[in-house]
Amino acid sequence: MDQAFRNACMEAVRRALDEDLQSRGDITSQAVIDPGTRARGRVVMREEGVVAGLPLASMAFRVLDARVSFRALANDGERLGAGSVIAEVEGLALTILEGERTALNFLQRLSGIATLTSRFVAEAAPYGAAILDTRKTSPGLRTLEKYAVRAGGGRNHRFGLFDAVLIKDNHIAAVGGVGEAVRRAREALGGEFPVEVEVQRLEDLEEAVQAGAEVVMLDNLSVAEVEEAVRLARGRVKLEASGGINLDNVAAYAAAGVDFISVGAITHSARALDIALDLEPLRG
């Protein structure tokens, strides 16, 4: 885990714990559980899926009490079946219960993203198309959700507006055409970043190529139109299919011959994976 990612995880965990505990802590557990009670918890997959988020789960407990023992029994990116125990945590019962929901929220959310991503990857892989994410992420959690995409076998598109050029329909509308937008980007940035441009009509593809785009995003085109775009491009640019792509049609888009398929749904619509923590008190 590099330091930048660790810092992002720690910031997210501290923010989530503060949201849940505020200044009072877990008033229910404080009221009913003896402060000295120790317990062991088993983090269990209730359904099959790809694990992601174990480092955050560990932090959720250890930020509260560094004496808590958290032992991961799986690796992020590993596909496991229902009933699999992916971690064990041991310490004061009060601490484990205070951190439980935060740990599970991160595990369930990120594992859900990794699992959905893996399904798209499996559909596209036979045709050599890479599955990319988008900027359609939960506010403040982009680093973590893009990590989960990688855990599921996908690839990250640009992280934000600062690290890649992607000319979209509103940029094109503002300057009057695909070619003009591409030329302006190339002149302004001097080759610092590859230039990608979105086209919504086959007629704009050649204009994008001639203007010097390195990647063309084919937005909301049918499979037949994407097949035609691949034929017209003749390998001169990388092609990315986007818009309206789901598990029912992703294989068809991949088979059309594109290099990339971007899918916003893998982050904005992933269902949380069912993961639970089973607690037992320790005697003696």
Side-chain angles (χ1 to χ4, degrees):
M1 183 189 307
D2 66 42
Q3 193 59 47
F5 179 66
R6 180 177 179 81
N7 290 345
C9 291
M10 186 62 73
E11 179 185 355
V13 166
R14 289 187 183 278
R15 190 168 62 242
L17 287 170
D18 182 64
E19 179 179 64
D20 211 22
L21 300 174
Q22 300 288 309
S23 61
R24 294 288 300 273
D26 178 358
I27 60 175
T28 305
S29 296
Q30 291 166 12
V32 302
I33 296 176
D34 183 272
T37 301
R38 293 182 58 79
R40 178 185 297 120
R42 300 163 67 247
V43 182
V44 183
M45 303 275 283
R46 296 290 197 236
E47 61 179 314
E48 180 183 348
V50 176
V51 179
L54 284 167
L56 289 102
S58 176
M59 288 179 186
F61 298 111
R62 293 182 54 78
V63 161
L64 295 171
D65 183 351
R67 296 168 298 178
V68 169
S69 168
F70 184 92
R71 186 163 67 101
L73 301 177
N75 297 306
D76 280 0
E78 189 173 354
R79 179 178 292 278
L80 295 170
S84 298
V85 179
I86 60 174
E88 290 182 347
V89 58
E90 184 174 325
L92 292 175
L94 287 173
T95 301
I96 295 174
L97 290 170
E98 283 185 332
E100 175 187 9
R101 178 41 52 199
T102 294
L104 290 177
N105 280 351
F106 282 119
L107 276 173
Q108 291 176 318
R109 172 68 179 154
L110 300 186
S111 297
I113 290 171
T115 299
L116 182 58
T117 299
S118 73
R119 296 179 64 190
F120 276 92
V121 169
E123 292 289 332
Y127 308 100
I131 297 296
L132 306 180
D133 57 19
T134 71
R135 289 168 43 243
K136 296 174 182 176
T137 54
S138 303
L141 296 179
R142 184 170 295 166
T143 296
L144 308 186
E145 293 184 351
K146 283 181 171 281
Y147 166 78
V149 167
R150 298 194 303 275
R155 289 170 53 178
N156 296 148
H157 209 297
R158 58 179 179 165
F159 185 85
L161 296 174
F162 64 91
D163 64 338
V165 177
L166 176 50
I167 300 167
K168 297 180 71 68
D169 55 346
N170 285 332
H171 299 108
I172 294 165
V175 301
V178 169
E180 179 64 16
V182 172
R183 282 188 289 272
R184 289 190 184 196
R186 289 176 61 82
E187 290 171 7
L189 295 166
E192 183 180 0
F193 300 99
V195 173
E196 178 172 3
V197 62
E198 172 187 287
V199 301
Q200 298 178 332
R201 306 179 307 164
L202 282 175
E203 304 91 272
D204 294 329
L205 175 59
E206 187 62 28
E207 184 178 352
V209 173
Q210 292 300 321
E214 284 95 346
V215 184
V216 175
M217 175 188 287
L218 307 169
D219 187 49
N220 281 298
L221 299 189
S222 68
V223 172
E225 288 173 318
V226 169
E227 290 173 342
E228 179 63 8
V230 170
R231 188 188 69 79
L232 293 171
R234 301 192 306 278
R236 292 174 294 164
V237 292
K238 297 288 187 181
L239 294 176
E240 174 184 338
S242 183
I245 297 173
N246 53 51
L247 285 169
D248 292 329
N249 62 22
V250 63
Y253 276 99
V258 294
D259 302 282
F260 313 110
I261 299 174
S262 53
V263 186
I266 58 178
T267 51
H268 71 60
S269 295
R271 179 181 63 81
L273 205 67
D274 191 358
I275 301 173
L277 187 145
D278 296 331
L279 193 70
E280 61 179 4
L282 295 176
R283 307 297 181 187

